Amino acid sequence: MQPKMLSLIIPVYYEEEVLPKSYERMDAVMRSIGMPYELIYVNDGSRDGTMSFLRKLAAEHPEVKVFSFSRNFGHQLAVTCGMDHAKGDALVIIDADLQDPPELIPDMVKMWQDGADIVYGKRTKRKGETFFKKLTASVYYRVLSSMSAYPIPLDTGDFRLIDRKVADVFLKMREKARFLRGMSAWMGFEAVPIEYVREERAAGHTKYTLKKMLSLAADGILNFSATPLELPLFFGIALGILGVLGLIAMIVCTAVFGGGCPQWLWLAVGFSLLLAVLFCFQGIQGFYLGRMYDELKDRPLYIVAEALNEEPVQK
Ligand code: UDP
Ligand code: MG
């Protein structure tokens, strides 16, 4: 039997300052595990010294594979490219800046060997990040998790180990707006957390600008929750109930006290009822749109995690 192989996937964007140190630490850890491995660097359009360092590295070490994008496509697509090319039986996704400690990988591999399909890093603490980033991240993870139809673990980024069968499902999911940790939650499988302290960046500064962070946050919510599309229906129903109650109150008022209600109250109730009908129809359209979006994403219909006495035919 062939020995099992590990693939490390490292997206890089303007990381010339951190790469030499980062390579050294990652390579030492991978060597210590004693399994064959490959280091897959994906250069996401950096124009600094990143590529000249990676060229040198690849020339000296055959286990270093490098894919360089024509421009910046974003972190999630850089990781996707790494997954597309990885040959390992388990893949580990890790940031280049040493914020995710590579020294955790041997434990992750152990948990994988003990049967976990996904081992995801859960941050107990974040060092060297601004109060703003910590607060927005913490609120965001909680909002997302409450809105998503699938439980997306809290305080969890893309630092994780995935088994080959999980990677194969990623290969089938070709949706363009990608939110990998959500896709991973959607898939299911045996996922176990491993807690760690998120370190400070070893060098350089964050490449996740506010714009990129907002765009990733939007992808998370839009790809994994239809709630925003469906909300108008519930709003319409609530408004409709209020309108009907108002109408009843006014009819009773007129019948009991005579004299009738002011003209503008009838107008207000009529207007609310009309708006309620419009909101309801908008919400219903939202349900259709959500379904169309689901069809467009073209995800696999189901995922077989294990089959006995038969090879699964995955459609
Ligand atoms: N990265 C990338 N493309 C981008 C932005 C970032 O490949 O457009 C890489 C970056 O080099 C790093 C990882 O993604 O390896 C995480 O980025 P960063 O450390 O800047 O984000 P933060 O940890 O501050 O959220
Ligand atoms: Mg970082």
Side-chain angles (χ1 to χ4, degrees):
M1 207 175 81
Q2 284 268 22
K4 298 238 174 192
M5 177 180 167
L6 300 173
S7 303
L8 200 57
I9 297 170
I10 312 142
V12 281
Y13 186 50
Y14 286 90
E15 300 287 12
E16 63 178 359
E17 286 167 79
V18 82
L19 268 182
K21 194 171 166 198
S22 160
Y23 167 73
E24 219 171 274
R25 257 175 74 184
M26 290 184 188
D27 190 61
V29 167
M30 295 310 282
R31 230 172 318 128
S32 75
I33 298 175
M35 288 165 75
Y37 65 91
E38 59 180 354
L39 300 178
I40 303 179
Y41 286 95
V42 182
N43 171 29
D44 187 11
S46 330
R47 298 263 181 265
D48 61 348
T50 295
M51 262 323 275
S52 61
F53 176 78
L54 290 177
R55 274 196 196 97
K56 242 178 40 217
L57 210 59
E60 289 165 15
H61 305 278
E63 71 281 8
V64 170
K65 319 274 163 71
V66 179
F67 299 91
S68 185
F69 283 174
S70 56
R71 63 164 170 85
N72 180 239
F73 280 87
H75 171 238
Q76 301 283 298
L77 293 179
V79 173
T80 301
C81 169
M83 288 184 181
D84 289 347
H85 294 90
K87 297 192 183 69
D89 299 285
L91 283 54
V92 178
I93 298 144
I94 189 166
D95 284 356
D97 59 2
L98 296 172
Q99 282 200 282
D100 309 324
E103 289 71 23
L104 221 62
I105 298 174
D107 285 341
M108 294 169 116
V109 170
K110 225 173 176 128
M111 291 159 88
W112 167 61
Q113 286 166 331
D114 288 344
D117 297 316
I118 300 172
V119 185
Y120 60 90
K122 192 169 163 59
R123 306 157 177 176
T124 53
K125 224 188 203 165
R126 304 167 73 117
K127 287 193 192 164
E129 286 180 318
T130 59
F131 174 73
F132 175 75
K133 177 140 188 175
K134 282 187 208 170
L135 181 76
T136 46
S138 167
V139 170
Y140 174 70
Y141 285 134
R142 278 148 188 87
V143 170
L144 176 66
S145 147
S146 69
M147 278 173 89
S148 160
Y150 311 93
I152 299 179
L154 297 176
D155 306 319
T156 299
D158 290 319
F159 180 36
R160 63 188 56 221
L161 175 149
I162 60 175
D163 182 77
R164 166 51 49 196
K165 63 183 173 215
V166 179
D168 283 344
V169 182
F170 268 114
L171 298 190
K172 286 210 180 99
M173 292 173 79
R174 302 316 285 180
E175 54 204 71
K176 294 190 171 55
R178 297 175 82 76
F179 185 66
L180 299 173
R181 60 199 89 157
M183 290 161 75
S184 174
W186 176 84
M187 285 178 207
F189 288 110
E190 194 65 37
V192 289
I194 181 166
E195 294 197 332
Y196 75 105
V197 174
R198 188 150 160 94
E199 294 294 337
E200 259 178 70
R201 235 180 192 280
H205 57 85
T206 178
K207 309 302 175 315
Y208 255 99
T209 54
L210 186 64
K211 195 169 151 217
K212 279 186 179 171
M213 241 161 64
L214 288 176
S215 145
L216 181 69
D219 282 346
I221 291 187
L222 297 178
N223 284 13
F224 290 92
S225 171
T227 312
L229 280 173
E230 295 163 357
L231 270 184
L233 179 64
F234 301 107
F235 190 65
I237 291 173
L239 196 63
I241 292 174
L242 276 181
V244 168
L245 286 179
L247 193 64
I248 293 172
M250 282 165 62
I251 290 172
V252 169
C253 239
T254 313
V256 175
F257 303 111
C261 298
Q263 209 72 355
W264 65 267
L265 258 181
W266 289 105
L267 263 179
V269 166
F271 194 60
S272 308
L273 286 172
L274 188 66
L275 267 185
V277 172
L278 288 179
F279 274 122
C280 284
F281 277 111
Q282 208 199 330
I284 292 169
Q285 280 176 17
F287 276 88
Y288 279 100
L289 263 181
R291 275 164 178 67
M292 276 156 71
Y293 187 35
D294 250 1
E295 296 286 343
L296 277 178
K297 276 188 279 203
D298 204 21
R299 291 181 183 161
L301 297 184
Y302 54 82
I303 301 159
V304 177
E306 190 179 349
L308 303 175
N309 288 343
E310 184 70 64
E311 277 297 301
V313 183
Q314 207 110 6
K315 294 277 180 195

